[in-house]
Amino acid sequence: MSRLWVTGYRSYEIGTFGEKDPKITVVKYALEQVIRQQLDLGLEWVITGGQLGVEQWSVAVVLSLKTEFPQLKVAMMYPFQQFGQQWQENNQAQLRQLAAQCDFVDSVSQAPYQGPQQLKNYQKFMLSHTDAALLVYDPDFEGKTRYDLQAIEQQQATMPYPLTTIDMYSLQEYATEYEEKLAENQAFPE
């Protein structure tokens, strides 16, 4: 396994407010732990989109891991040209800043948004250019990622395609683990 598709909730779907929101810290910690496990299995590329939320947080996590794992690469694939241009300026700036640090950035469709078929083509592209997927998603708390999950499940019906999910229960476990590590570091500073 060398190429991992990472996606999940948009920031508004899990109610995060600002980059200092503790929920973001927990999601990033969870992403880092799973990506570290995948590195042991031969992970070379994390491929994601540019959506606000899990996709951008996964880029940030990979960028922080590159100091320890310089061989790890990250690609940001947009479903269409001019992706994110309708966003508020600060969100557009954040997208540009992350994209500038990626190893590869491109759009699946070379046209601006024209309709839902571009999003289906994007899913097909991601499935055909990755070896496995990581979703931060819980079916009990639906969001737009359910469409990606459905595409992955269709792929799995015809061929092996490993899927790792971080659901709400897992996020709670990661939150507890993160808090324990913080407490340890405060008790025994380096």
Side-chain angles (χ1 to χ4, degrees):
M1 197 279 303
S2 64
R3 300 165 301 168
L4 182 67
W5 175 16
V6 180
T7 191
Y9 291 111
R10 311 313 191 252
S11 51
Y12 65 86
E13 291 176 323
I14 54 175
T16 59
F17 301 99
E19 285 303 306
K20 301 286 184 208
D21 191 307
K23 287 182 243 174
I24 296 173
T25 302
V26 170
V27 171
K28 284 183 173 181
Y29 178 78
L31 287 166
E32 178 182 342
Q33 300 316 303
V34 175
I35 290 170
R36 284 179 177 279
Q37 293 167 2
Q38 298 296 325
L39 281 161
D40 291 339
L41 302 173
L43 177 64
E44 296 173 10
W45 280 90
V46 170
I47 305 173
T48 191
Q51 288 288 354
L52 296 164
V54 168
E55 292 182 351
Q56 288 191 14
W57 301 331
S58 66
V59 171
V61 166
V62 172
L63 292 172
S64 71
L65 285 171
K66 281 174 149 280
T67 55
E68 188 178 345
F69 303 96
Q71 76 282 9
L72 182 60
K73 296 189 178 4
V74 63
M76 197 181 295
M77 295 299 301
Y78 306 132
F80 48 84
Q81 284 288 318
Q82 300 172 3
F83 178 82
Q85 286 191 352
Q86 76 281 12
W87 296 349
Q88 296 174 2
E89 180 52 42
N90 62 326
N91 291 337
Q92 289 182 39
Q94 181 177 308
L95 178 65
R96 286 190 300 271
Q97 187 260 344
L98 282 173
Q101 298 176 72
C102 287
D103 297 289
F104 185 81
V105 179
D106 202 356
S107 299
V108 173
S109 169
Q110 297 306 308
Y113 183 75
Q114 296 170 338
Q117 187 57 46
Q118 286 170 302
L119 302 176
K120 289 184 188 305
N121 292 343
Y122 171 79
Q123 289 173 330
K124 289 178 188 170
F125 175 89
M126 295 301 275
L127 288 166
S128 66
H129 288 82
T130 58
D131 306 302
L134 166 59
L135 269 62
V136 178
Y137 184 71
D138 190 317
D140 291 337
F141 301 93
E142 285 200 344
K144 291 184 181 281
T145 306
R146 75 178 175 272
Y147 300 113
D148 296 325
L149 177 61
Q150 290 167 357
I152 291 166
E153 288 171 342
Q154 289 173 354
Q155 176 93 346
Q156 289 176 323
T158 61
M159 64 182 290
Y161 187 83
L163 169 63
T164 302
T165 57
I166 300 173
D167 59 14
M168 291 302 171
Y169 178 78
S170 300
L171 283 174
Q172 184 57 52
E173 287 184 333
Y174 282 117
T176 302
E177 182 180 312
Y178 179 77
E179 288 295 321
E180 288 170 357
K181 284 189 175 186
L182 276 181
E184 275 179 32
N185 289 341
Q186 289 175 351
F188 305 103
E190 293 179 15

